[in-house]
Amino acid sequence: MREYIIQSTRRGKDYIWGTLYYSDKMAKFRIKFRCTYEEMKKDNPPAMIHRFMTNGRMELDPELSLLWVKDGIIPKDRQNIADILRTNNLKTYREIDMLELCMGRCTLDDIYLVRLK
């Protein structure tokens, strides 16, 4: 099981929003937020966190977790994806590999991942 801290930089320091888990055995993601949306709301979560924290969810199922991951990685249908894979010594496209390439950093927000395990 891979484990990543989901964080961003706020007011000059790192802010932890939750944890992303990935099961290599099942090839599935799962996200657990650090606290309820009501508690996080006062810290003004990034749009990508805010979007998925509706209805008081503390945890996202594998399907929603994958959607969250896909929003922050290089898409499978990107025009030059074959070049990106080749440059990074990857034979096939997998979301987990794309996530590890950029550690969750994208142009949509200031979120990034720190791998624990």
Side-chain angles (χ1 to χ4, degrees), residues 55-70:
N55 302 325
R57 282 192 191 109
M58 290 291 294
E59 193 169 329
L60 299 182
D61 62 26
E63 189 175 301
L64 284 175
S65 296
L66 179 59
L67 282 176
W68 186 85
V69 167
K70 284 182 173 183

Side-chain angles (χ1 to χ4, degrees), residues 27-111:
K28 292 190 180 201
F29 293 96
R30 185 172 50 93
I31 293 175
K32 202 176 229 182
F33 296 113
R34 70 167 179 80
C35 61
T36 65
Y37 175 69
E38 289 305 315
E39 292 174 72
M40 262 199 224
K41 195 161 74 171
K42 66 180 182 259
D43 296 318
N44 193 23
M48 296 303 291
I49 298 290
H50 185 272
R51 177 178 164 202
F52 286 94
M53 287 197 75
T54 58
N55 302 325
R57 282 192 191 109
M58 290 291 294
E59 193 169 329
L60 299 182
D61 62 26
E63 189 175 301
L64 284 175
S65 296
L66 179 59
L67 282 176
W68 186 85
V69 167
K70 284 182 173 183
D71 273 346
I73 61 173
I74 300 165
K76 188 175 190 172
D77 60 355
R78 182 157 173 180
Q79 183 177 1
N80 62 341
I81 193 67
D83 294 333
I84 293 168
L85 293 173
R86 187 172 36 260
T87 299
N88 291 284
N89 298 316
L90 299 171
K91 294 183 186 334
T92 59
Y93 181 95
R94 293 185 329 142
E95 286 86 3
I96 188 62
D97 294 332
M98 295 297 110
L99 186 71
E100 292 249 339
L101 280 177
C102 60
M103 291 309 287
R105 293 188 185 273
C106 71
T107 59
L108 301 173
D109 54 33
D110 64 346
I111 292 174

